[in-house]
Amino acid sequence: MENSIVRAAANNTPSRHRTMTLDGTPRKAPLSAKKTKPQMDRFIPARSAMDLDVANFNLLKENNGQVNAVDTTSSPKVEYKKRLAEGLGTEKAPRILAFKNKAPAPPEGMQNNLAALYSQNAAQRPAKKNFRNIPQAPERILDAPELLDDYYLNLLDWGPMNNVVAVALGAAVYLWNANTGDIEQLMECSEEDDYITSVSWGADGKHIAVGTSSSTVQIWDANRVKQIRSLNGHSARVGALSWNNAILSSGGRDSIIVNHDVRQREHVTAILRGHEQEVCGLKWSPNGQQLASGGNDNLLHIWDASNDRPTHRITSHQAAVKALAWCPFQSNLLASGGGTADRCIKFTNTHTGAVLNSIDTASQVCALQWSRHEREILSSHGFSQNQLCLWKYPSMVKVAEFTGHTSRVLHMAQSPDGTTVVSAAADETLRFWKVFAEASVAQKAKPSSTGNSMLRSINIR
């Protein structure tokens, strides 16, 4: 035993000049021989941890290769191999980390102290938002003969309470009841060359203001179809009107803005001077704190209710600014659109006067309408497509495009429920588009069927 250990040690000791002959006799190696690498013992695993039966079966299986036709047709051999594989735990497609039996049930009355830790983030997930179906065709078409093709006028409005559309056709104003479909004439200019230049419903849905080319503003009671009073203060046509409770603001070609208190005999409460050319856009903010005005001088002014000087003077537009729309979900956000030389929709922070974003629409922007229930804005355009575009805010990705008008879409107004927009174009038609989501389904949009919708063409007078 001792001699064998010594001999094994001598064999494992690396030697530079010794080699072994075939009979085991050591001899000296020549000096020119290459150095041999030290012989290392190979790794021999512990046999106690090995399953020799399984290893032997796998080796035989690999060496034999595919089973010949005789073996496959011999059912006893196939059954034997199958049972042998099951017994040894080597199936054809073994599953890793698979339980053969279910986990044992916990003892009765056991409480897991970590249950709260595991379930604290298991809050109810918000419902996945479905994309609503937006009809591409108008729901209704009304003929509007003698609708003036003038970019600087505002000839359309939809009553916020009575669901009545007011439209100026030439020298007359007509009312169309969206509930009943009835049409009636509200008024007509008495002078031969006079014509209507602007219309605007009051917040109560009973009174409507009408601007004329003869520089007067008339207040009418729509229920009684009777004129209440006439307001002066301008020296040229009145192309823009906007209500703020009992205060009516009017903008004219004389480049001034006049604030009227319709409750007082001396109705002129302020005259705002800041524009150099015709005022063609006028909108009070929903909270009544700020007034936005746009003019043919490419200027956008922001006025405070208690100041007769503009708080901010925005000069970023390169054409007339007529399209104005206050954001319903952010009180200090104003959208404005420029004319043919500008073609941009710009978003302005009216507290700071900073222009937040600008997008080139590639065509004249005539009107803007915000959705009341979604973060979307609708724009109407002139040459060359004469289309309406629905944009997602703030990404300004175009959601949909609506075509059908054959001339520039000058005016837009929104229904009281905020789902439908009526557009008036120089092609002398009014078209009603269901573009916005309803309030009850704003968070979970429902697709609406448009296959059965019928286009009805009605002459408005």
Side-chain angles (χ1 to χ4, degrees):
M1 182 69 179
E2 181 179 354
N3 293 333
S4 62
I5 294 175
V6 172
R7 186 165 54 251
N11 293 337
N12 291 334
T13 304
S15 175
R16 182 174 303 176
H17 304 293
R18 297 182 61 190
T19 59
M20 300 294 293
T21 63
L22 295 176
D23 58 352
T25 305
R27 66 179 176 83
K28 292 185 179 180
L31 295 176
S32 60
K34 294 182 179 180
K35 298 179 181 180
T36 58
K37 294 182 179 180
Q39 299 294 328
M40 306 298 293
D41 289 341
R42 68 181 185 277
F43 174 74
I44 301 177
R47 298 194 176 188
S48 59
M50 295 178 61
D51 192 336
L52 296 181
D53 293 334
V54 174
N56 182 44
F57 175 78
N58 288 332
L59 289 174
L60 292 177
K61 184 178 178 181
E62 293 178 359
N63 293 334
N64 291 337
Q66 296 182 348
V67 182
N68 56 26
V70 177
D71 291 337
T72 56
T73 57
S74 178
S75 58
K77 288 187 177 182
V78 173
E79 184 67 23
Y80 168 75
K81 290 183 178 182
K82 181 179 178 182
R83 291 192 177 185
L84 182 61
E86 292 178 355
L88 297 177
T90 58
E91 299 176 325
K92 279 189 175 183
R95 293 177 297 172
I96 301 175
L97 299 179
F99 292 104
K100 293 183 178 179
N101 300 318
K102 292 184 178 180
E108 185 178 357
M110 177 182 177
Q111 294 183 356
N112 190 352
N113 296 328
L114 299 178
L117 177 64
Y118 296 149
S119 60
Q120 65 180 352
N121 293 328
Q124 185 177 1
R125 295 182 179 179
K128 185 178 180 181
K129 186 175 181 179
N130 298 322
F131 291 99
R132 72 181 189 276
N133 181 28
I134 304 175
Q136 296 296 304
E139 289 190 325
R140 186 187 296 267
I141 300 176
L142 302 181
D143 289 331
E146 298 185 27
L147 182 70
L148 296 178
D149 183 9
D150 193 328
Y151 178 78
Y152 304 100
L153 306 184
N154 294 271
L155 306 177
L156 181 70
D157 200 14
W158 200 327
M161 300 294 293
N162 53 11
N163 203 18
V164 175
V165 176
V167 58
L169 303 179
V173 175
Y174 291 87
L175 304 179
W176 178 77
N177 192 312
N179 295 325
T180 63
D182 295 337
I183 301 171
E184 66 174 337
Q185 180 177 326
L186 176 68
M187 56 84 65
E188 187 172 7
C189 296
S190 56
E191 299 182 13
E192 183 178 356
D193 296 332
D194 200 3
Y195 58 91
I196 307 300
T197 54
S198 56
V199 293
S200 180
W201 280 102
D204 57 2
K206 297 179 181 179
H207 300 93
I208 183 172
V210 179
T212 66
S213 62
S214 60
S215 73
T216 62
V217 178
Q218 302 177 11
I219 308 296
W220 284 76
D221 187 331
N223 295 337
R224 295 184 296 164
V225 192
K226 182 179 180 181
Q227 182 178 350
I228 298 176
R229 65 182 305 181
S230 180
L231 306 176
N232 299 317
H234 288 279
S235 58
R237 71 177 188 179
V238 182
L241 296 168
S242 183
W243 287 89
N244 182 17
N245 296 323
I247 302 298
L248 174 64
S249 297
S250 59
R253 182 176 273 180
D254 53 8
S255 73
I256 66 171
I257 300 170
V258 180
N259 289 341
H260 312 267
D261 190 337
V262 298
R263 300 167 298 181
Q264 301 179 12
R265 181 181 295 274
E266 300 298 328
H267 54 84
V268 177
T269 60
I271 298 179
L272 310 180
R273 305 180 186 274
H275 289 281
E276 299 174 359
Q277 295 186 36
E278 181 173 10
V279 178
C280 53
L282 208 58
K283 280 288 188 300
W284 276 99
S285 62
N287 58 17
Q289 298 299 315
Q290 291 183 311
L291 173 67
S293 65
N296 194 28
D297 52 4
N298 309 345
L299 295 178
L300 170 63
H301 285 162
I302 307 298
W303 312 78
D304 284 341
S306 58
N307 198 345
D308 59 357
R309 291 186 178 182
T311 306
H312 300 291
R313 186 174 184 264
I314 314 299
T315 61
S316 56
H317 283 287
Q318 304 301 316
V321 184
K322 175 198 173 187
L324 298 173
W326 288 90
C327 180
F329 53 83
Q330 188 174 340
S331 60
N332 63 330
L333 180 61
L334 175 70
S336 57
T340 306
D342 182 72
R343 306 183 306 274
C344 291
I345 301 175
K346 298 183 184 295
F347 299 90
T348 303
N349 184 330
T350 58
H351 288 172
T352 63
V355 177
L356 305 176
N357 192 13
S358 178
I359 179 170
D360 190 346
T361 65
S363 60
Q364 180 187 46
V365 183
C366 301
L368 294 169
Q369 288 287 333
W370 284 95
S371 170
R372 300 174 189 168
H373 315 303
E374 296 280 351
R375 291 179 180 262
E376 296 172 344
I377 187 169
L378 182 70
S379 59
S380 69
H381 301 273
F383 182 82
S384 61
Q385 297 295 324
N386 306 315
Q387 82 279 29
L388 286 77
C389 295
L390 183 63
W391 311 83
K392 195 70 178 177
Y393 183 84
S395 64
M396 292 307 290
V397 174
K398 188 182 295 185
V399 178
E401 191 170 291
F402 311 92
T403 58
H405 284 291
T406 58
S407 187
R408 57 181 180 175
V409 187
L410 296 168
H411 317 288
M412 287 196 303
Q414 193 170 165
S415 61
D417 62 2
T419 63
T420 305
V421 171
V422 57
S423 59
D427 58 6
E428 298 185 347
T429 63
L430 303 182
R431 296 173 187 259
F432 293 79
W433 314 82
K434 195 173 183 63
V435 296
F436 293 140
E438 299 179 6
S440 58
V441 294
Q443 300 300 325
K444 185 179 179 181
K446 294 181 179 179
S448 58
S449 175
T450 58
N452 298 327
S453 63
M454 299 292 292
L455 296 181
R456 291 189 291 169
S457 182
I458 302 176
N459 197 321
I460 204 167
R461 68 174 186 181

